[in-house]
Amino acid sequence: MLLWHATNKKNLDSIMSSGLIANNFGVFLADNAQSAAAFVYARGINNIVAFPVESDGLDIIESFDHDPKIFRCRCFISNQDIPNNKIIWEKVLQWRL
Protein backbone atom coordinates (compact mmCIF):
# COMPACT_ATOMS: atom_id res chain seq x y z
CA MET A 1 0.00 0.00 0.00
CA LEU A 2 1.26 3.48 -0.84
CA LEU A 3 1.15 5.88 2.12
CA TRP A 4 2.38 9.46 2.51
CA HIS A 5 4.45 11.29 5.10
CA ALA A 6 4.73 15.09 4.96
CA THR A 7 7.08 17.40 6.82
CA ASN A 8 8.84 20.74 6.73
CA LYS A 9 11.16 20.99 3.72
CA LYS A 10 14.05 21.81 6.07
CA ASN A 11 14.04 18.08 7.00
CA LEU A 12 14.68 16.96 3.40
CA ASP A 13 18.46 16.48 3.67
CA SER A 14 18.14 14.40 6.83
CA ILE A 15 15.44 12.22 5.27
CA MET A 16 17.49 11.73 2.12
CA SER A 17 20.39 10.41 4.19
CA SER A 18 18.62 8.60 7.06
CA GLY A 19 15.05 7.92 5.94
CA LEU A 20 12.04 8.76 8.09
CA ILE A 21 12.99 8.55 11.76
CA ALA A 22 10.27 7.62 14.24
CA ASN A 23 9.89 10.14 17.06
CA ASN A 24 8.28 9.27 20.40
CA PHE A 25 4.95 8.84 18.62
CA GLY A 26 6.21 7.08 15.48
CA VAL A 27 6.16 8.16 11.84
CA PHE A 28 2.77 9.58 10.88
CA LEU A 29 1.35 8.60 7.49
CA ALA A 30 -1.81 9.30 5.52
CA ASP A 31 -3.39 7.56 2.56
CA ASN A 32 -2.91 10.59 0.28
CA ALA A 33 -0.35 13.36 -0.15
CA GLN A 34 -2.75 16.29 0.23
CA SER A 35 -4.02 15.11 3.61
CA ALA A 36 -0.50 14.43 4.88
CA ALA A 37 0.47 17.97 3.82
CA ALA A 38 -2.67 19.46 5.40
CA PHE A 39 -1.70 18.07 8.82
CA VAL A 40 1.70 19.79 8.50
CA TYR A 41 0.15 23.03 7.24
CA ALA A 42 -2.21 23.04 10.24
CA ARG A 43 0.89 23.33 12.45
CA GLY A 44 1.85 26.59 10.69
CA ILE A 45 4.44 25.14 8.29
CA ASN A 46 4.09 26.38 4.72
CA ASN A 47 7.14 24.87 2.96
CA ILE A 48 6.09 21.22 2.84
CA VAL A 49 7.48 18.07 1.27
CA ALA A 50 5.42 14.86 1.00
CA PHE A 51 7.08 11.48 0.67
CA PRO A 52 5.32 8.45 -0.81
CA VAL A 53 6.20 5.33 1.16
CA GLU A 54 5.78 1.73 0.03
CA SER A 55 4.43 0.23 3.25
CA ASP A 56 4.78 -3.46 2.36
CA GLY A 57 6.99 -5.19 4.92
CA LEU A 58 6.78 -2.32 7.43
CA ASP A 59 5.14 -2.53 10.86
CA ILE A 60 2.35 -0.02 10.26
CA ILE A 61 -0.95 0.25 12.11
CA GLU A 62 -4.00 2.33 11.35
CA SER A 63 -4.45 5.28 13.68
CA PHE A 64 -7.98 6.11 14.76
CA ASP A 65 -7.23 9.44 16.45
CA HIS A 66 -8.55 11.32 13.38
CA ASP A 67 -12.09 10.80 12.15
CA PRO A 68 -11.78 9.78 8.47
CA LYS A 69 -15.18 11.37 7.72
CA ILE A 70 -13.93 14.77 8.91
CA PHE A 71 -10.35 14.60 7.62
CA ARG A 72 -11.24 12.66 4.46
CA CYS A 73 -8.31 10.29 4.82
CA ARG A 74 -7.12 7.27 6.71
CA CYS A 75 -4.14 7.78 9.02
CA PHE A 76 -1.42 5.33 9.96
CA ILE A 77 1.60 5.12 12.26
CA SER A 78 4.88 3.28 11.89
CA ASN A 79 6.55 2.65 15.23
CA GLN A 80 9.82 1.98 13.46
CA ASP A 81 12.07 4.10 11.26
CA ILE A 82 11.26 3.94 7.58
CA PRO A 83 14.42 3.44 5.52
CA ASN A 84 14.92 5.72 2.54
CA ASN A 85 14.76 2.74 0.15
CA LYS A 86 11.02 2.54 1.00
CA ILE A 87 10.49 6.13 -0.23
CA ILE A 88 9.50 6.46 -3.88
CA TRP A 89 11.77 9.41 -4.63
CA GLU A 90 10.50 10.13 -8.15
CA LYS A 91 7.00 10.83 -6.74
CA VAL A 92 7.99 13.23 -3.92
CA LEU A 93 5.80 16.35 -3.91
CA GLN A 94 6.45 19.85 -2.61
CA TRP A 95 4.23 22.82 -1.70
CA ARG A 96 5.09 26.37 -0.76
CA LEU A 97 1.84 27.81 0.61
Side-chain angles (χ1 to χ4, degrees):
M1 174 177 8
L2 186 67
L3 298 174
W4 292 83
H5 174 80
T7 189
N8 192 322
K9 186 181 178 189
K10 72 179 185 176
N11 299 323
L12 179 60
D13 289 339
S14 173
I15 292 168
M16 289 178 74
S17 65
S18 302
L20 300 168
I21 306 300
N23 63 21
N24 293 336
F25 304 102
V27 177
F28 296 104
L29 303 154
D31 64 359
N32 67 79
Q34 292 77 12
S35 294
F39 284 111
V40 176
Y41 183 71
R43 294 190 340 253
I45 297 168
N46 63 359
N47 200 359
I48 301 168
V49 179
F51 300 92
V53 173
E54 179 49 62
S55 65
D56 292 345
L58 297 175
D59 183 21
I60 292 177
I61 58 171
E62 188 163 1
S63 168
F64 295 101
D65 60 340
H66 297 88
D67 186 338
K69 293 176 185 171
I70 294 172
F71 289 94
R72 297 189 177 126
C73 72
R74 291 173 58 204
C75 297
F76 300 84
I77 297 173
S78 172
N79 291 317
Q80 66 188 52
D81 297 345
I82 298 175
N84 54 15
N85 69 344
K86 287 291 200 174
I87 297 171
I88 304 170
W89 292 100
E90 61 272 9
K91 293 185 178 184
V92 170
L93 299 174
Q94 178 179 338
W95 293 268
R96 177 131 183 118
L97 307 170

